[in-house]
């Protein structure tokens, strides 16, 4: 039996385009986040819904983290986030997807201002 399945196809790159699942625009960010009182992570990107961080250890799915994220000249935001995925990228290098679990109005405004600038 043969199935005729059509995918969104990008003829220029030859890749299949997948539907974007994210609700918020992501912004690349080269900064850091402090978490768990004594740990530091590199922030790869951020949106109103979460961020991607690089750490030196695995963070289990479902783990709650209190994060203080530097927004360059815009100051810092404090959030509670939940680990939603973790991928090993190399020896002692892990990428972690963090979904914001708790973000108050003040920090939402700061984040929107940063992303919009």
């Amino acid at each position: 039996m043969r199935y005729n399945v059509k995918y969104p196809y990008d003829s220029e790159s030859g890749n299949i385009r997948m539907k974007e699942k994210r609700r918020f625009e992501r912004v690349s960010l080269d900064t850091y986040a402090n978490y768990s009182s004594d740990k530091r992570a590199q922030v790869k990107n951020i949106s109103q819904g979460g961020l991607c961080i690089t750490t030196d250890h695995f963070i289990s799915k479902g783990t709650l983290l209190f994060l203080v994220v530097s927004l360059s000249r815009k100051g810092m935001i404090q959030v509670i986030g939940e680990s939603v995925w973790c991928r090993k990228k190399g020896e002692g290098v892990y990428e972690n997807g963090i979904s914001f679990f708790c973000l108050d109005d003040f920090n939402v405004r700061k984040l929107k201002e940063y992303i919009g600038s």
Side-chain angles (χ1 to χ4, degrees), residues 41-54:
Q42 183 70 35
V43 178
K44 202 173 162 189
N45 61 52
I46 194 166
S47 76
Q48 289 180 48
L51 49 78
C52 178
I53 59 175
T54 302

Side-chain angles (χ1 to χ4, degrees), residues 91-109:
E91 191 60 40
V93 179
Y94 297 86
E95 265 186 9
N96 303 270
I98 308 296
S99 176
F100 293 147
F101 185 76
C102 182
L103 188 62
D104 64 26
D105 291 340
F106 175 76
N107 286 300
V108 167
R109 282 193 303 276

Side-chain angles (χ1 to χ4, degrees), residues 64-67 78-82 98-103:
L64 293 180
L65 304 168
F66 176 76
L67 300 116
Q78 297 179 358
V79 301
I80 296 174
E82 178 181 8
I98 308 296
S99 176
F100 293 147
F101 185 76
C102 182
L103 188 62

Side-chain angles (χ1 to χ4, degrees), residues 77-94:
I77 61 168
Q78 297 179 358
V79 301
I80 296 174
E82 178 181 8
S83 174
V84 292
W85 57 263
C86 183
R87 295 185 199 116
K88 186 171 185 173
K89 298 302 277 186
E91 191 60 40
V93 179
Y94 297 86

Side-chain angles (χ1 to χ4, degrees), residues 35 53 55 57-61 63 65 83 85-86 96 98:
Y35 66 100
I53 59 175
T55 62
H57 63 281
F58 183 86
I59 299 175
S60 298
K61 184 176 178 179
T63 301
L65 304 168
S83 174
W85 57 263
C86 183
N96 303 270
I98 308 296

